[in-house]
Structures are given as structure tokens and as C-alpha cells.
Amino acid sequence: MAYMSCANSWTISVMTKDKITIENIKCISRLSVEFNYPESKFIVITGKNGIGKTSLIKAFHLISDPDIFQKSSGLNAIRHDSKITFNIDGFDGFSFDFNEKLGVLDTKDKLPSINQIIAELPIPYGNRFKQFSLISNHDSAIRTNIAASEYGRADELICFLSQIYQNDKFNELKTTKVKNYEFYFILLYDDYYVREDHLSSGEYFLIQLYRIITSGAKLVLIDELDVALDAAAQVKLYTGIKPLLERYSSRLIVISHSLAFMNTVDDGGLYYLEDNSGSITLEQRSFGYIKSDLYGFEGYDRYILTEDEVLEGFVEYIIIFYSVRPYYQHRTIGVGGWTQLKMIIEKNDRDKIFSYSSNVLAIVDGDAYPSLVREYNGSTEIYQSPVADIEMFIYKMRDTLLQNIEIPIYTESNDPKKASKSYWKYLTIDKGMQKNELYQIIIDSEQEKCQHLVAKIKIFLERSN
């Protein structure tokens, strides 16, 4: 089965930043966040329910509807000291304050047009959920256009849907214009057709998503992005959207709870909304940190938290290689950076998101170990890897330990850290080396240190007599 292959290219662009500060809105006393967009111009926000994610989207929706909080958030959502301040790239700063006379958040500042910043709300307020009636209301005009052959091939939308679904189902998708609206359909025999709202709910909502992103808006925010999408579509969604953002010079902020989707997001593209002892924060976090705190891993006896996924794999490998026979059921989790590892064990010390501190072990690379033990004051045990950095060790020792592997032809970064990460991907993806082969190199090179670490792990996982 053939489907369209859509090539895309990426250009280097200047860092884009948007900032918003929310004060005294619903449960948020103060939230200030600066969005630093990665190259993809795509940011994903997640967090636990009821903490303020939708309030963030509503804040942006004020540009087109100053009554949105009163209509959708109940009593006392806003009050006399409520205020929202925006500094959006490409626009003059503006703010909304509570208007006692009108009982709404109001502004005297010049605002972007409602077509330049689009904040798409969840059910039932979002415009994408209102498209059903619009299509049916124009059905007769759509039929007339089809009969008159006034339609064309929807090439760009076909490309988008084909990237996500990886099939040719949409190769005959057509588009027709009625007044100022574009409608999509699949033409059948004798002028019969399948309207876009007759497709599956997931396919229909992807078309609405396409409409919003290609509308010409400079900034788009969407709540409940992955509504109605199956896991397979969620995995392809991120790479499908990125070329559209580049083509239309737009940037996108979405809210999602899908681990399958978040696991595909580029570095720097994940933001986590969380409550830290009553203070709401929204900051960049790694996928491992979010996965650990948002979903938790209850049901295990012991937890080993590592600095990243590479060290996570190494720990699991040495447990097997040295024939450790855990008495306690355990889970090893790569968090993502030693600072985020520090935050997650501190949160566990306080909130027991995994278990008691005595049931949690933290392992970091040797280069991060001094900083972590100096800055962490809790009771979780902390150990270090046999080497300063696994990827860096392999990279620096490649001329000695990997003489049979040709040097990559790509231009290597001048930053040794970035170069080592690229080389690790080169070995494990381009050259097809198993990670365990690389882990074995560490064991063979640093036997004494590896044995020392595994002895600590053995005490942690095996039952004492």
C-alpha cells in the first residue's frame, strides 16, 4: 500500500520567547512563565488535573472573548485583584485587569487581532467542536460545487494525514470553497462523497487541527490536543505538525496527557505545570521527570532513579551481568539530568510519589555526583556511575575501543557533550550497535568500579538475612 511521502527541510531561526504572568485567577495566586521555543516552534504542556492548564489557555482566549472566565469557570474565578500580563513575540505588551463596573477582565491596551493569536478551548467551548453544524448547514452548497466540479485536490492536507496514518486512505481527499469556508470530502462514484464530519472522530479532529495551524495565526494554543486520537496517531502527530509550523511561520502550544505523544517531543519542548508546596510553576522538564511525577509507578518495592535513560539501561544491564537476584520487585527510571533527579527525589522525600526514601536509590554520572551530594539534603541514598559520563567515555575512547567502527561523516559539534550524544546515536542507530555492547565496554574498562556499584545495588535489591 502506497502513501504520500512529504519531504521537509529545517532552517535555523532566532530564539522565540513568549511570556505570560497570571495573578489571582481561580486557584492560581501567581504564575509567571517564559516559553522558550525549540527549533520546531512546538511546545507541549502537561500536568495533573485541576491545577490550571485550561486557565492558561483561557487567558490567551481573552483576546477574542473577555467573558470567557465568567462563562466557563464559575463564580469567583476572577476577582478584584485578578490580572494577566502578556509579552508576546512580535506584538506590543498588553495586560488585562479586573473591571469592577463590567465584572470582567478588561484592557485599554492595543491587542493583537483575533486571527493572529488563537486559543482553542476544550469541549464544549472550542471552535473545532462547533464545525459539525457549520458543515451540515452548507451541505447543499457543497453538493452544488461537486456537481459543477468546483473542487480541487487537498494536497497539503493529504500529506499531513498520510504522515500520521501511514496509509493511502486520504489520497483522493478534495477541497471546495463555500463563501469564506474551505470544506473537505472524499469523492466516491456518481458524485457521492464522504464529508469530513463523516470520517472517524480522530480523523475529523485532525482536519480541524490542520485548519487552525494553517489559518495564518502567529501563535496557536490548543487544549486537549489528542482528543479522539488512538496511540498510533499520537506517536506520529508531532512529526506531522512540525513541517506545517515551519511552512506557515507559526508556533504552537498544546496541552496533552498522552505519554505516547510526549515521548516524541524534541528536547526543550516539554513544560510541566506542578504545585510545589502551594506554589504553581510551569517550567521545562524532561520526559522522565514528567512520567515519574504525573503517572507514578506504584506497586514496586524498590525504585532506582538514574540521571538519564542511558544510565538507566546501564544499571539494568549490570544487574543482569553480575547475576543480581532481586528479592524486591523494582523499577529503574531515567529521569533526565541531575538537577531534575534532585527535584524528583526531594518531591518523593516530601510526598512519597514512589515510596519511602529508604526504598529509593539515586544513581548519577560521576561528573554530576559531587554537585548532587552537595546540594541534596534528604535521606535518599545516592551513588555514582563507574565513569564520569557513559556517552562521553565511549566518545573519547573510540579510537582505542572502537577501531573497527568508521568515523562518522557528519560534522561533529565543537561541544564535547553534544558531540558525544550524537556519536552515541550514530553507534546505536546508524551503525546498529546494541547498547549492551557499549555497556560491556564500560564493564571491561572499569571492572573494579562496576563491581563496587553493583555491590551497592545488590544490597538495595536483595533481602538481608
Side-chain angles (χ1 to χ4, degrees), residues 309-310 390-391 394 402 405 408 410 420-439 441:
E309 291 185 355
V310 173
I390 290 176
E391 293 156 308
I394 295 296
L402 296 169
I405 303 294
Y410 61 79
S420 68
K421 289 184 177 298
S422 296
Y423 186 65
W424 182 271
K425 291 181 180 178
Y426 168 73
L427 293 175
T428 57
I429 297 176
D430 297 343
K431 306 305 295 182
M433 286 190 69
Q434 297 296 314
K435 293 178 182 178
N436 286 352
E437 296 179 67
L438 300 173
Y439 294 146
I441 291 175

PDB file of all heavy atoms in Angstrom, residues 309-310 390-391 394 402 405 408 410 420-439 441:
ATOM      1  N   GLU A 309      18.269   8.052  30.517  1.00  0.00           N
ATOM      2  CA  GLU A 309      17.915   6.727  30.006  1.00  0.00           C
ATOM      3  C   GLU A 309      19.145   5.888  29.696  1.00  0.00           C
ATOM      4  O   GLU A 309      19.083   4.652  29.767  1.00  0.00           O
ATOM      5  CB  GLU A 309      17.032   6.861  28.775  1.00  0.00           C
ATOM      6  CG  GLU A 309      15.636   7.414  29.080  1.00  0.00           C
ATOM      7  CD  GLU A 309      14.733   7.420  27.866  1.00  0.00           C
ATOM      8  OE1 GLU A 309      15.219   7.076  26.770  1.00  0.00           O
ATOM      9  OE2 GLU A 309      13.541   7.764  28.010  1.00  0.00           O
ATOM     10  N   VAL A 310      20.237   6.522  29.318  1.00  0.00           N
ATOM     11  CA  VAL A 310      21.463   5.766  29.044  1.00  0.00           C
ATOM     12  C   VAL A 310      21.964   5.106  30.321  1.00  0.00           C
ATOM     13  O   VAL A 310      22.311   3.907  30.328  1.00  0.00           O
ATOM     14  CB  VAL A 310      22.545   6.691  28.443  1.00  0.00           C
ATOM     15  CG1 VAL A 310      23.878   5.949  28.327  1.00  0.00           C
ATOM     16  CG2 VAL A 310      22.109   7.203  27.074  1.00  0.00           C
ATOM     17  N   ILE A 390      28.762   8.192  30.545  1.00  0.00           N
ATOM     18  CA  ILE A 390      28.855   6.997  29.703  1.00  0.00           C
ATOM     19  C   ILE A 390      29.053   7.361  28.236  1.00  0.00           C
ATOM     20  O   ILE A 390      29.939   6.817  27.561  1.00  0.00           O
ATOM     21  CB  ILE A 390      27.603   6.123  29.889  1.00  0.00           C
ATOM     22  CG1 ILE A 390      27.615   5.490  31.283  1.00  0.00           C
ATOM     23  CG2 ILE A 390      27.533   5.035  28.810  1.00  0.00           C
ATOM     24  CD1 ILE A 390      26.381   4.672  31.615  1.00  0.00           C
ATOM     25  N   GLU A 391      28.237   8.271  27.712  1.00  0.00           N
ATOM     26  CA  GLU A 391      28.368   8.646  26.301  1.00  0.00           C
ATOM     27  C   GLU A 391      29.724   9.294  26.027  1.00  0.00           C
ATOM     28  O   GLU A 391      30.359   9.026  25.003  1.00  0.00           O
ATOM     29  CB  GLU A 391      27.230   9.599  25.913  1.00  0.00           C
ATOM     30  CG  GLU A 391      25.864   8.935  25.947  1.00  0.00           C
ATOM     31  CD  GLU A 391      24.740   9.933  26.131  1.00  0.00           C
ATOM     32  OE1 GLU A 391      24.830  10.738  27.081  1.00  0.00           O
ATOM     33  OE2 GLU A 391      23.784   9.891  25.341  1.00  0.00           O
ATOM     34  N   ILE A 394      32.605   6.629  25.936  1.00  0.00           N
ATOM     35  CA  ILE A 394      32.651   5.912  24.654  1.00  0.00           C
ATOM     36  C   ILE A 394      33.213   6.811  23.566  1.00  0.00           C
ATOM     37  O   ILE A 394      34.031   6.388  22.741  1.00  0.00           O
ATOM     38  CB  ILE A 394      31.245   5.408  24.274  1.00  0.00           C
ATOM     39  CG1 ILE A 394      30.755   4.364  25.292  1.00  0.00           C
ATOM     40  CG2 ILE A 394      31.241   4.842  22.864  1.00  0.00           C
ATOM     41  CD1 ILE A 394      31.571   3.094  25.340  1.00  0.00           C
ATOM     42  N   LEU A 402      36.930   1.236  19.752  1.00  0.00           N
ATOM     43  CA  LEU A 402      36.024   1.011  18.610  1.00  0.00           C
ATOM     44  C   LEU A 402      36.767   1.242  17.299  1.00  0.00           C
ATOM     45  O   LEU A 402      36.302   1.953  16.411  1.00  0.00           O
ATOM     46  CB  LEU A 402      34.815   1.941  18.723  1.00  0.00           C
ATOM     47  CG  LEU A 402      33.899   1.711  19.925  1.00  0.00           C
ATOM     48  CD1 LEU A 402      32.906   2.855  20.073  1.00  0.00           C
ATOM     49  CD2 LEU A 402      33.144   0.391  19.789  1.00  0.00           C
ATOM     50  N   ILE A 405      34.969   0.613  13.912  1.00  0.00           N
ATOM     51  CA  ILE A 405      33.842   1.462  13.514  1.00  0.00           C
ATOM     52  C   ILE A 405      34.382   2.711  12.846  1.00  0.00           C
ATOM     53  O   ILE A 405      35.161   3.458  13.436  1.00  0.00           O
ATOM     54  CB  ILE A 405      32.981   1.861  14.735  1.00  0.00           C
ATOM     55  CG1 ILE A 405      32.475   0.622  15.472  1.00  0.00           C
ATOM     56  CG2 ILE A 405      31.829   2.752  14.300  1.00  0.00           C
ATOM     57  CD1 ILE A 405      31.487  -0.217  14.670  1.00  0.00           C
ATOM     58  N   PRO A 408      32.207   8.853  11.833  1.00  0.00           N
ATOM     59  CA  PRO A 408      31.026   9.369  11.114  1.00  0.00           C
ATOM     60  C   PRO A 408      31.400  10.474  10.142  1.00  0.00           C
ATOM     61  O   PRO A 408      32.364  11.228  10.365  1.00  0.00           O
ATOM     62  CB  PRO A 408      30.129   9.881  12.248  1.00  0.00           C
ATOM     63  CG  PRO A 408      31.025  10.083  13.418  1.00  0.00           C
ATOM     64  CD  PRO A 408      32.096   9.055  13.295  1.00  0.00           C
ATOM     65  N   TYR A 410      29.320  12.979   9.279  1.00  0.00           N
ATOM     66  CA  TYR A 410      28.682  14.249   9.594  1.00  0.00           C
ATOM     67  C   TYR A 410      29.660  15.161  10.351  1.00  0.00           C
ATOM     68  O   TYR A 410      30.625  14.704  10.954  1.00  0.00           O
ATOM     69  CB  TYR A 410      27.401  14.051  10.413  1.00  0.00           C
ATOM     70  CG  TYR A 410      27.603  13.382  11.760  1.00  0.00           C
ATOM     71  CD1 TYR A 410      28.083  14.088  12.869  1.00  0.00           C
ATOM     72  CD2 TYR A 410      27.294  12.030  11.938  1.00  0.00           C
ATOM     73  CE1 TYR A 410      28.266  13.477  14.103  1.00  0.00           C
ATOM     74  CE2 TYR A 410      27.473  11.408  13.171  1.00  0.00           C
ATOM     75  CZ  TYR A 410      27.956  12.143  14.243  1.00  0.00           C
ATOM     76  OH  TYR A 410      28.130  11.536  15.464  1.00  0.00           O
ATOM     77  N   SER A 420      29.335  13.878  21.896  1.00  0.00           N
ATOM     78  CA  SER A 420      29.250  12.517  22.448  1.00  0.00           C
ATOM     79  C   SER A 420      27.843  11.951  22.321  1.00  0.00           C
ATOM     80  O   SER A 420      27.670  10.754  22.053  1.00  0.00           O
ATOM     81  CB  SER A 420      29.697  12.522  23.910  1.00  0.00           C
ATOM     82  OG  SER A 420      28.782  13.229  24.732  1.00  0.00           O
ATOM     83  N   LYS A 421      26.840  12.795  22.492  1.00  0.00           N
ATOM     84  CA  LYS A 421      25.457  12.332  22.347  1.00  0.00           C
ATOM     85  C   LYS A 421      25.159  11.969  20.895  1.00  0.00           C
ATOM     86  O   LYS A 421      24.484  10.968  20.612  1.00  0.00           O
ATOM     87  CB  LYS A 421      24.477  13.390  22.854  1.00  0.00           C
ATOM     88  CG  LYS A 421      24.491  13.565  24.366  1.00  0.00           C
ATOM     89  CD  LYS A 421      23.447  14.550  24.833  1.00  0.00           C
ATOM     90  CE  LYS A 421      23.426  14.661  26.357  1.00  0.00           C
ATOM     91  NZ  LYS A 421      23.068  13.372  27.003  1.00  0.00           N
ATOM     92  N   SER A 422      25.668  12.776  19.971  1.00  0.00           N
ATOM     93  CA  SER A 422      25.475  12.475  18.547  1.00  0.00           C
ATOM     94  C   SER A 422      26.187  11.175  18.169  1.00  0.00           C
ATOM     95  O   SER A 422      25.660  10.374  17.391  1.00  0.00           O
ATOM     96  CB  SER A 422      25.995  13.634  17.691  1.00  0.00           C
ATOM     97  OG  SER A 422      25.253  14.815  17.918  1.00  0.00           O
ATOM     98  N   TYR A 423      27.377  10.982  18.732  1.00  0.00           N
ATOM     99  CA  TYR A 423      28.130   9.767  18.427  1.00  0.00           C
ATOM    100  C   TYR A 423      27.433   8.536  18.991  1.00  0.00           C
ATOM    101  O   TYR A 423      27.420   7.474  18.362  1.00  0.00           O
ATOM    102  CB  TYR A 423      29.545   9.872  18.997  1.00  0.00           C
ATOM    103  CG  TYR A 423      30.445   8.730  18.602  1.00  0.00           C
ATOM    104  CD1 TYR A 423      30.808   8.544  17.273  1.00  0.00           C
ATOM    105  CD2 TYR A 423      30.917   7.824  19.550  1.00  0.00           C
ATOM    106  CE1 TYR A 423      31.623   7.489  16.900  1.00  0.00           C
ATOM    107  CE2 TYR A 423      31.743   6.766  19.185  1.00  0.00           C
ATOM    108  CZ  TYR A 423      32.084   6.604  17.853  1.00  0.00           C
ATOM    109  OH  TYR A 423      32.890   5.547  17.480  1.00  0.00           O
ATOM    110  N   TRP A 424      26.825   8.667  20.170  1.00  0.00           N
ATOM    111  CA  TRP A 424      26.063   7.552  20.750  1.00  0.00           C
ATOM    112  C   TRP A 424      24.898   7.164  19.823  1.00  0.00           C
ATOM    113  O   TRP A 424      24.663   5.976  19.570  1.00  0.00           O
ATOM    114  CB  TRP A 424      25.552   7.951  22.124  1.00  0.00           C
ATOM    115  CG  TRP A 424      24.796   6.882  22.857  1.00  0.00           C
ATOM    116  CD1 TRP A 424      23.456   6.623  22.796  1.00  0.00           C
ATOM    117  CD2 TRP A 424      25.337   5.892  23.749  1.00  0.00           C
ATOM    118  NE1 TRP A 424      23.126   5.565  23.595  1.00  0.00           N
ATOM    119  CE2 TRP A 424      24.258   5.085  24.200  1.00  0.00           C
ATOM    120  CE3 TRP A 424      26.616   5.620  24.226  1.00  0.00           C
ATOM    121  CZ2 TRP A 424      24.427   4.038  25.089  1.00  0.00           C
ATOM    122  CZ3 TRP A 424      26.785   4.564  25.123  1.00  0.00           C
ATOM    123  CH2 TRP A 424      25.697   3.788  25.538  1.00  0.00           C
ATOM    124  N   LYS A 425      24.200   8.162  19.307  1.00  0.00           N
ATOM    125  CA  LYS A 425      23.109   7.893  18.360  1.00  0.00           C
ATOM    126  C   LYS A 425      23.643   7.285  17.065  1.00  0.00           C
ATOM    127  O   LYS A 425      23.013   6.408  16.478  1.00  0.00           O
ATOM    128  CB  LYS A 425      22.340   9.176  18.063  1.00  0.00           C
ATOM    129  CG  LYS A 425      21.531   9.696  19.245  1.00  0.00           C
ATOM    130  CD  LYS A 425      20.777  10.963  18.884  1.00  0.00           C
ATOM    131  CE  LYS A 425      19.964  11.477  20.068  1.00  0.00           C
ATOM    132  NZ  LYS A 425      19.257  12.745  19.734  1.00  0.00           N
ATOM    133  N   TYR A 426      24.793   7.758  16.637  1.00  0.00           N
ATOM    134  CA  TYR A 426      25.425   7.215  15.432  1.00  0.00           C
ATOM    135  C   TYR A 426      25.705   5.722  15.601  1.00  0.00           C
ATOM    136  O   TYR A 426      25.430   4.912  14.705  1.00  0.00           O
ATOM    137  CB  TYR A 426      26.719   7.978  15.158  1.00  0.00           C
ATOM    138  CG  TYR A 426      27.622   7.349  14.122  1.00  0.00           C
ATOM    139  CD1 TYR A 426      27.303   7.383  12.768  1.00  0.00           C
ATOM    140  CD2 TYR A 426      28.815   6.730  14.509  1.00  0.00           C
ATOM    141  CE1 TYR A 426      28.145   6.802  11.821  1.00  0.00           C
ATOM    142  CE2 TYR A 426      29.666   6.159  13.575  1.00  0.00           C
ATOM    143  CZ  TYR A 426      29.323   6.197  12.229  1.00  0.00           C
ATOM    144  OH  TYR A 426      30.158   5.629  11.299  1.00  0.00           O
ATOM    145  N   LEU A 427      26.221   5.349  16.770  1.00  0.00           N
ATOM    146  CA  LEU A 427      26.546   3.945  17.012  1.00  0.00           C
ATOM    147  C   LEU A 427      25.289   3.081  17.133  1.00  0.00           C
ATOM    148  O   LEU A 427      25.197   2.002  16.535  1.00  0.00           O
ATOM    149  CB  LEU A 427      27.381   3.811  18.289  1.00  0.00           C
ATOM    150  CG  LEU A 427      28.797   4.396  18.270  1.00  0.00           C
ATOM    151  CD1 LEU A 427      29.422   4.281  19.646  1.00  0.00           C
ATOM    152  CD2 LEU A 427      29.662   3.707  17.218  1.00  0.00           C
ATOM    153  N   THR A 428      24.325   3.560  17.923  1.00  0.00           N
ATOM    154  CA  THR A 428      23.169   2.725  18.250  1.00  0.00           C
ATOM    155  C   THR A 428      22.081   2.748  17.179  1.00  0.00           C
ATOM    156  O   THR A 428      21.276   1.807  17.099  1.00  0.00           O
ATOM    157  CB  THR A 428      22.560   3.158  19.596  1.00  0.00           C
ATOM    158  OG1 THR A 428      22.203   4.549  19.535  1.00  0.00           O
ATOM    159  CG2 THR A 428      23.559   2.949  20.721  1.00  0.00           C
ATOM    160  N   ILE A 429      22.048   3.788  16.372  1.00  0.00           N
ATOM    161  CA  ILE A 429      21.004   3.884  15.338  1.00  0.00           C
ATOM    162  C   ILE A 429      21.596   3.651  13.948  1.00  0.00           C
ATOM    163  O   ILE A 429      21.210   2.722  13.237  1.00  0.00           O
ATOM    164  CB  ILE A 429      20.290   5.247  15.412  1.00  0.00           C
ATOM    165  CG1 ILE A 429      19.579   5.399  16.756  1.00  0.00           C
ATOM    166  CG2 ILE A 429      19.279   5.395  14.261  1.00  0.00           C
ATOM    167  CD1 ILE A 429      18.913   6.748  16.965  1.00  0.00           C
ATOM    168  N   ASP A 430      22.564   4.489  13.557  1.00  0.00           N
ATOM    169  CA  ASP A 430      23.121   4.376  12.208  1.00  0.00           C
ATOM    170  C   ASP A 430      23.908   3.079  12.011  1.00  0.00           C
ATOM    171  O   ASP A 430      23.803   2.434  10.958  1.00  0.00           O
ATOM    172  CB  ASP A 430      24.033   5.572  11.913  1.00  0.00           C
ATOM    173  CG  ASP A 430      23.272   6.889  11.918  1.00  0.00           C
ATOM    174  OD1 ASP A 430      22.033   6.846  11.818  1.00  0.00           O
ATOM    175  OD2 ASP A 430      23.903   7.956  12.031  1.00  0.00           O
ATOM    176  N   LYS A 431      24.710   2.717  13.002  1.00  0.00           N
ATOM    177  CA  LYS A 431      25.545   1.516  12.884  1.00  0.00           C
ATOM    178  C   LYS A 431      24.882   0.273  13.465  1.00  0.00           C
ATOM    179  O   LYS A 431      25.414  -0.837  13.332  1.00  0.00           O
ATOM    180  CB  LYS A 431      26.903   1.745  13.558  1.00  0.00           C
ATOM    181  CG  LYS A 431      27.654   2.972  13.078  1.00  0.00           C
ATOM    182  CD  LYS A 431      27.844   2.969  11.557  1.00  0.00           C
ATOM    183  CE  LYS A 431      28.720   1.850  11.076  1.00  0.00           C
ATOM    184  NZ  LYS A 431      28.933   1.908   9.608  1.00  0.00           N
ATOM    185  N   GLY A 432      23.763   0.432  14.136  1.00  0.00           N
ATOM    186  CA  GLY A 432      23.011  -0.722  14.630  1.00  0.00           C
ATOM    187  C   GLY A 432      23.646  -1.460  15.788  1.00  0.00           C
ATOM    188  O   GLY A 432      23.300  -2.623  16.050  1.00  0.00           O
ATOM    189  N   MET A 433      24.551  -0.818  16.524  1.00  0.00           N
ATOM    190  CA  MET A 433      25.146  -1.481  17.680  1.00  0.00           C
ATOM    191  C   MET A 433      24.138  -1.590  18.813  1.00  0.00           C
ATOM    192  O   MET A 433      23.342  -0.670  19.046  1.00  0.00           O
ATOM    193  CB  MET A 433      26.366  -0.701  18.182  1.00  0.00           C
ATOM    194  CG  MET A 433      27.596  -0.831  17.323  1.00  0.00           C
ATOM    195  SD  MET A 433      29.067  -0.117  18.137  1.00  0.00           S
ATOM    196  CE  MET A 433      29.320  -1.296  19.469  1.00  0.00           C
ATOM    197  N   GLN A 434      24.157  -2.703  19.511  1.00  0.00           N
ATOM    198  CA  GLN A 434      23.323  -2.857  20.687  1.00  0.00           C
ATOM    199  C   GLN A 434      23.915  -2.049  21.841  1.00  0.00           C
ATOM    200  O   GLN A 434      25.134  -2.021  22.023  1.00  0.00           O
ATOM    201  CB  GLN A 434      23.224  -4.332  21.088  1.00  0.00           C
ATOM    202  CG  GLN A 434      22.567  -5.215  20.045  1.00  0.00           C
ATOM    203  CD  GLN A 434      21.116  -4.837  19.799  1.00  0.00           C
ATOM    204  OE1 GLN A 434      20.357  -4.618  20.749  1.00  0.00           O
ATOM    205  NE2 GLN A 434      20.739  -4.745  18.533  1.00  0.00           N
ATOM    206  N   LYS A 435      23.062  -1.406  22.605  1.00  0.00           N
ATOM    207  CA  LYS A 435      23.548  -0.622  23.748  1.00  0.00           C
ATOM    208  C   LYS A 435      24.307  -1.495  24.732  1.00  0.00           C
ATOM    209  O   LYS A 435      25.266  -1.043  25.369  1.00  0.00           O
ATOM    210  CB  LYS A 435      22.386   0.085  24.428  1.00  0.00           C
ATOM    211  CG  LYS A 435      21.748   1.160  23.577  1.00  0.00           C
ATOM    212  CD  LYS A 435      20.568   1.809  24.277  1.00  0.00           C
ATOM    213  CE  LYS A 435      19.917   2.854  23.372  1.00  0.00           C
ATOM    214  NZ  LYS A 435      18.728   3.491  23.995  1.00  0.00           N
ATOM    215  N   ASN A 436      23.887  -2.753  24.842  1.00  0.00           N
ATOM    216  CA  ASN A 436      24.572  -3.656  25.773  1.00  0.00           C
ATOM    217  C   ASN A 436      26.036  -3.873  25.380  1.00  0.00           C
ATOM    218  O   ASN A 436      26.890  -4.118  26.246  1.00  0.00           O
ATOM    219  CB  ASN A 436      23.843  -4.996  25.843  1.00  0.00           C
ATOM    220  CG  ASN A 436      22.546  -4.895  26.625  1.00  0.00           C
ATOM    221  OD1 ASN A 436      22.262  -3.861  27.248  1.00  0.00           O
ATOM    222  ND2 ASN A 436      21.743  -5.938  26.601  1.00  0.00           N
ATOM    223  N   GLU A 437      26.341  -3.793  24.082  1.00  0.00           N
ATOM    224  CA  GLU A 437      27.729  -3.907  23.641  1.00  0.00           C
ATOM    225  C   GLU A 437      28.557  -2.744  24.195  1.00  0.00           C
ATOM    226  O   GLU A 437      29.714  -2.924  24.594  1.00  0.00           O
ATOM    227  CB  GLU A 437      27.810  -3.901  22.114  1.00  0.00           C
ATOM    228  CG  GLU A 437      27.134  -5.074  21.427  1.00  0.00           C
ATOM    229  CD  GLU A 437      27.239  -4.975  19.917  1.00  0.00           C
ATOM    230  OE1 GLU A 437      28.369  -5.082  19.387  1.00  0.00           O
ATOM    231  OE2 GLU A 437      26.199  -4.766  19.262  1.00  0.00           O
ATOM    232  N   LEU A 438      27.950  -1.571  24.200  1.00  0.00           N
ATOM    233  CA  LEU A 438      28.643  -0.389  24.713  1.00  0.00           C
ATOM    234  C   LEU A 438      28.748  -0.435  26.233  1.00  0.00           C
ATOM    235  O   LEU A 438      29.764  -0.026  26.810  1.00  0.00           O
ATOM    236  CB  LEU A 438      27.913   0.869  24.252  1.00  0.00           C
ATOM    237  CG  LEU A 438      27.814   1.036  22.728  1.00  0.00           C
ATOM    238  CD1 LEU A 438      26.935   2.228  22.373  1.00  0.00           C
ATOM    239  CD2 LEU A 438      29.205   1.207  22.123  1.00  0.00           C
ATOM    240  N   TYR A 439      27.691  -0.940  26.875  1.00  0.00           N
ATOM    241  CA  TYR A 439      27.745  -1.087  28.333  1.00  0.00           C
ATOM    242  C   TYR A 439      28.831  -2.079  28.735  1.00  0.00           C
ATOM    243  O   TYR A 439      29.506  -1.892  29.755  1.00  0.00           O
ATOM    244  CB  TYR A 439      26.396  -1.558  28.865  1.00  0.00           C
ATOM    245  CG  TYR A 439      25.272  -0.559  28.697  1.00  0.00           C
ATOM    246  CD1 TYR A 439      23.966  -0.983  28.459  1.00  0.00           C
ATOM    247  CD2 TYR A 439      25.504   0.812  28.778  1.00  0.00           C
ATOM    248  CE1 TYR A 439      22.926  -0.080  28.308  1.00  0.00           C
ATOM    249  CE2 TYR A 439      24.468   1.726  28.622  1.00  0.00           C
ATOM    250  CZ  TYR A 439      23.176   1.265  28.387  1.00  0.00           C
ATOM    251  OH  TYR A 439      22.160   2.159  28.235  1.00  0.00           O
ATOM    252  N   ILE A 441      31.613  -2.542  27.244  1.00  0.00           N
ATOM    253  CA  ILE A 441      32.893  -1.841  27.149  1.00  0.00           C
ATOM    254  C   ILE A 441      33.197  -1.117  28.458  1.00  0.00           C
ATOM    255  O   ILE A 441      34.336  -1.109  28.944  1.00  0.00           O
ATOM    256  CB  ILE A 441      32.869  -0.843  25.967  1.00  0.00           C
ATOM    257  CG1 ILE A 441      32.836  -1.606  24.630  1.00  0.00           C
ATOM    258  CG2 ILE A 441      34.072   0.097  26.025  1.00  0.00           C
ATOM    259  CD1 ILE A 441      32.683  -0.706  23.419  1.00  0.00           C
TER     260      ILE A 441
END
